[in-house]
Each structure stands twice: as C-alpha cells, then as structure tokens.
Amino acid sequence: MKYAKPLPSYLVQRYQGWKATIFSENKAWYRRLADEGQRPRAFIISCCDSRVHVTSIFGADQGEFFIHRNIANLVPPFTDDSDHHGTSAAVEYAVSALKVAHIVVLGHSNCGGVQGCYDMCSGHAPELEEKSSFVGRWMDILRPGYERVLDVPEEKRKNALEKEAVLVSLENLMTFPFVRDAVEKGDLTLHGLWTDIGEGDLHQYDPETKSFKLV
C-alpha cells in the first residue's frame, strides 16, 4: 500500500517512552495478558470523541475493559441482514464470547455527533440528509430520541438529546436476543452514564426516577 507512511516522530517518541517505562516495569503482567487472554468484566460503549478517555475516568489498566467507540456512542437495533455491523459485532463478541457481566453506555457533553443529529432533524444540516452521508445515516439511530426531546425547553434540548443517545442505545441493546437472554437470566446488567467533560462529573441513569443522577 503506497499510501501508508511511517508514524510521525512524536508518536514514535511516545511509544518508546511507554516501552521503556510502563511496559518495562510490568512485563510479567503483559505476558500474562498475552498468554491467558482477556477476561474483562465490563464492556464500555463510548463516543469516538478524543476528550472521552474511558480508562482514565475509571482508572483502568489494560485488560480490564472491552471497549468499543463510535460516533455518539450509539447501538443500532438488532438486525440479521448481511451488511457490515461493527458495533453489533462488538456487542456479540462481548456478550457471547467474553461473557462480560456489565455493559456500560457512556455519553458525554458537547457531543459533535449528537449536535449533527440535532441539526439534521431540525432541518439545519441538509448535507447529513444525503444518502451518501455515513454520519447522517448513523445518526438516524437517534431520531427516536430527538422526537422525545421536542417538549424540552430549547436551551436544554441538546443536553437532553445527549442523554437520549444513551437511552436509545440501552433500548436497542435489549433487541439483541442474546443480550436480552443474559439480562433476564441475571448474567448481565446494563448501565447508562453521561459525563460532563468540563466539570469531570459522571451521571448515571436511574430507572426509578427516569433521570440521570450525579454519581
């Protein structure tokens, strides 16, 4: 592939620093991970946004979380067609192969994907309505959430839609037969979180009050 180029020097330097320090000081742990495989207890579905750093938020080491990132931390509804389904494949592997005990959907403040959905659904982003827009077709998953926030005051609507991205994903997870089966058996629990990037706050969804509460 003629388009592949060497890493930029700053990434090479960072890698070399990691190899000489963190890896060197924990060789036995890394060898154990390599030899015994991964046994994560939780599967985290978060946004691609570079400001959302899941392992930092929870102070996790390598091997603790199985992590999938996509635009706006969305899970599509279950479908058994033959298209490519990266997120659905990650859900299947986490539940069926890794047997995780928890699935966490983590949303966040100032989400660009959610903003795109808001603009598209409100008629201000016609480019996302195009069939050729990968982002637009992905954000169609969140359209039901947009409909549910229309009665929210406008100044709070985008924040509400960010949280709807979490709830829509939780709802869609339950359309996967193997997820629903594991939940009903008590082998798997689902969790909805939203983090405020600027404040460092973490909120979790409480089904009893149907609201997100500060952790």
Side-chain angles (χ1 to χ4, degrees):
M1 166 57 74
K2 66 180 181 179
Y3 299 107
K5 304 296 182 183
L7 278 175
S9 59
Y10 81 94
L11 289 180
V12 173
Q13 291 170 1
R14 288 187 180 186
Y15 159 71
Q16 291 174 339
W18 171 81
K19 184 72 179 294
T21 56
I22 296 174
F23 179 83
S24 180
E25 294 164 4
N26 298 277
K27 282 185 178 180
W29 170 245
Y30 286 106
R31 285 174 180 163
R32 180 178 174 183
L33 285 176
D35 294 341
E36 298 181 8
Q38 60 173 326
R39 294 185 179 85
R41 288 187 291 175
F43 172 37
I44 315 291
I45 302 170
S46 68
C47 185
C48 293
D49 195 304
S50 61
R51 299 167 296 176
V52 180
H53 203 285
V54 174
T55 53
S56 293
I57 290 173
F58 294 106
D61 292 324
Q62 283 182 267
E64 287 194 59
F65 294 152
F66 186 64
I67 300 174
H68 178 74
R69 303 180 71 149
N70 64 37
I71 300 296
N73 42 265
L74 290 172
V75 176
F78 174 81
T79 180
D80 57 1
D81 62 34
S82 59
D83 284 342
H84 298 99
H85 297 286
T87 296
S88 299
V91 171
E92 179 183 359
Y93 190 75
V95 176
S96 300
L98 296 177
K99 308 292 185 183
V100 296
H102 309 278
I103 297 180
V104 177
V105 179
L106 175 63
H108 69 95
S109 61
N110 304 111
C111 180
V114 171
Q115 180 68 59
C117 179
Y118 187 88
D119 293 342
M120 177 178 69
C121 292
S122 59
H124 295 100
E127 69 280 4
L128 295 180
E129 295 281 10
E130 298 292 333
K131 291 183 178 180
S132 59
S133 173
F134 294 116
V135 173
R137 302 296 61 73
W138 181 251
M139 297 314 301
D140 282 339
I141 298 170
L142 188 50
R143 282 185 184 271
Y146 176 79
E147 298 297 325
R148 295 201 292 243
V149 301
L150 289 177
D151 60 346
V152 175
E154 187 173 358
E155 66 276 10
K156 298 181 180 179
R157 203 170 291 165
K158 183 172 175 290
N159 176 273
L161 188 57
E162 288 169 351
K163 293 170 180 175
E164 281 295 332
V166 175
L167 299 180
V168 167
S169 292
L170 292 175
E171 292 167 359
N172 287 344
L173 278 168
M174 288 299 288
T175 68
F176 288 75
F178 48 86
V179 171
R180 184 173 62 250
D181 184 59
V183 169
E184 291 175 349
K185 288 181 178 178
D187 296 331
L188 177 67
T189 56
L190 307 184
H191 311 272
L193 301 177
W194 176 88
T195 182
D196 186 318
I197 293 173
E199 298 296 327
D201 291 338
L202 188 66
H203 300 248
Q204 63 179 340
Y205 182 70
D206 180 354
E208 293 187 2
T209 62
K210 296 182 180 180
S211 63
F212 283 79
K213 293 185 175 180
L214 188 64
V215 173

